[in-house]
């Protein structure tokens, strides 16, 4: 079985922030980055639909690949009885030398990652 979870808010399925204005851009105001909420709703439907599953593969590319990395712990907890494999294509986690710390902080703030990520 394959379950496709579409990326709707561009935050790697890990955002938890509403009423966001992206500074310094012409982007629409009052945006919502609620991928973590959306994924939670999807998981609440998906997990009970597959009660006997023994293996789960979480896969994504581009921003979906970021979602794989950011949500592996969450999916593992929800499918606690299953072996979890990850396939993260095209979104490497980079050192500060390659991905500026200020950009990482901007994502954390705008998208509300801190509220959605595992400790």
């Amino acid at each position: 079985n394959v379950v496709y979870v579409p990326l709707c808010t561009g935050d790697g399925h890990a955002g938890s922030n509403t009423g966001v204005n992206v500074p310094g851009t012409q982007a629409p105001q009052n945006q919502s980055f609620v991928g973590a909420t959306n994924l939670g709703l999807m998981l609440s439907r998906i997990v009970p639909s597959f009660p006997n599953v023994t293996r789960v593969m979480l896969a994504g590319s581009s921003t979906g690949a970021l979602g794989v990395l950011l949500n592996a712990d969450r999916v593992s907890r929800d499918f606690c009885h299953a072996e979890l494999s990850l396939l993260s294509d095209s979104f490497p986690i980079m050192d500060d030398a390659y991905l500026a710390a200020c950009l990482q902080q901007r994502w954390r703030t705008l998208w509300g990652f801190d509220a959605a990520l595992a400790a």
Side-chain angles (χ1 to χ4, degrees), residues 6-22:
L7 182 67
C8 300
T9 63
D11 56 26
H13 300 288
S16 61
N17 209 3
T18 59
V20 176
N21 298 325
V22 180

Side-chain angles (χ1 to χ4, degrees), residues 41-60:
L41 293 169
M42 293 292 288
L43 286 170
S44 70
R45 172 64 175 87
I46 295 166
V47 173
S49 296
F50 301 98
N52 299 317
V53 69
T54 58
R55 296 179 66 193
V56 172
M57 173 172 277
L58 186 59

Side-chain angles (χ1 to χ4, degrees), residues 81-105:
H81 55 281
E83 175 187 337
L84 178 65
S85 298
L86 305 177
L87 176 58
S88 178
D89 179 32
S90 303
F91 202 102
I93 297 298
M94 297 181 197
D95 187 82
D96 290 353
Y98 304 103
L99 186 60
C102 61
L103 177 59
Q104 295 176 51
Q105 184 58 51

